[in-house]
Amino acid sequence: MIRIDYQDKRPIYEQVIERLQNLIVRGVLESDTKLPSVRNLAIELSINPNTIQRAYTELERTGFIYTVKGKGNYVAADRIWRGNEKTNVMKDLEKSVQQVIALGVSEEETKKFIEETYRKGREA
């Protein structure tokens, strides 16, 4: 289900978050799918359970999963996490546009780049 890259300089919990988010976004893990318990996933990946707990906590904070007391962790409905992701991406885009402005890139050049990038993304 998840592979950890020990050559990656990012913390392991961030890798777990990224891998699970990817599975959720791609629809491999559908809404209301029960995730492995913290302990089982920690054993499967041979890592500390606290690392998995930290990843699950962050995934819940960002709306990708939800917890049912005594039952476990489940994949949240996509309307929840998609809204959160859209907000985060738009904030990142706003920061990038501010940087572009600070660098003196013209509005026309910026729009052209965004349109080309958007077109390429739709074709992929």
Side-chain angles (χ1 to χ4, degrees):
M1 182 161 125
I2 296 175
R3 282 200 164 155
I4 300 301
D5 178 3
Y6 294 100
Q7 304 302 317
D8 193 325
K9 294 181 181 187
R10 293 175 302 152
I12 292 173
Y13 84 94
E14 287 182 6
Q15 292 183 51
V16 172
I17 290 169
E18 178 186 74
R19 303 300 192 296
L20 286 172
Q21 283 177 334
N22 188 289
L23 292 171
I24 292 168
V25 169
R26 289 188 3 236
V28 175
L29 293 175
E30 296 178 352
S31 179
D32 298 320
T33 299
K34 188 176 190 311
L35 296 174
S37 70
V38 168
R39 182 173 184 213
N40 286 344
L41 188 55
I43 290 170
E44 181 182 324
L45 298 175
S46 300
I47 59 178
N48 189 311
N50 292 331
T51 301
I52 301 300
Q53 184 59 55
R54 186 171 182 185
Y56 277 10
T57 298
E58 181 62 18
L59 287 164
E60 185 170 19
R61 188 189 68 73
T62 55
F64 279 89
I65 68 172
Y66 64 94
T67 302
V68 176
K69 260 310 193 220
K71 301 262 187 202
N73 297 291
Y74 297 83
V75 175
D78 68 348
R79 63 180 160 65
I80 295 170
W81 58 260
R82 280 193 195 279
N84 291 342
E85 279 301 287
K86 181 180 175 182
T87 299
N88 292 338
V89 168
M90 295 306 272
K91 284 180 184 176
D92 290 344
L93 182 57
E94 182 178 20
K95 288 178 190 173
S96 294
V97 169
Q98 293 301 325
Q99 289 175 322
V100 165
I101 291 168
L103 290 171
V105 179
S106 72
E107 183 176 342
E108 184 177 305
E109 186 179 354
T110 302
K111 285 180 181 178
K112 183 179 177 185
F113 177 79
I114 290 172
E115 288 169 356
E116 287 174 12
T117 303
Y118 197 88
R119 182 183 47 77
K120 288 177 188 175
R122 292 196 118 192
E123 291 173 358

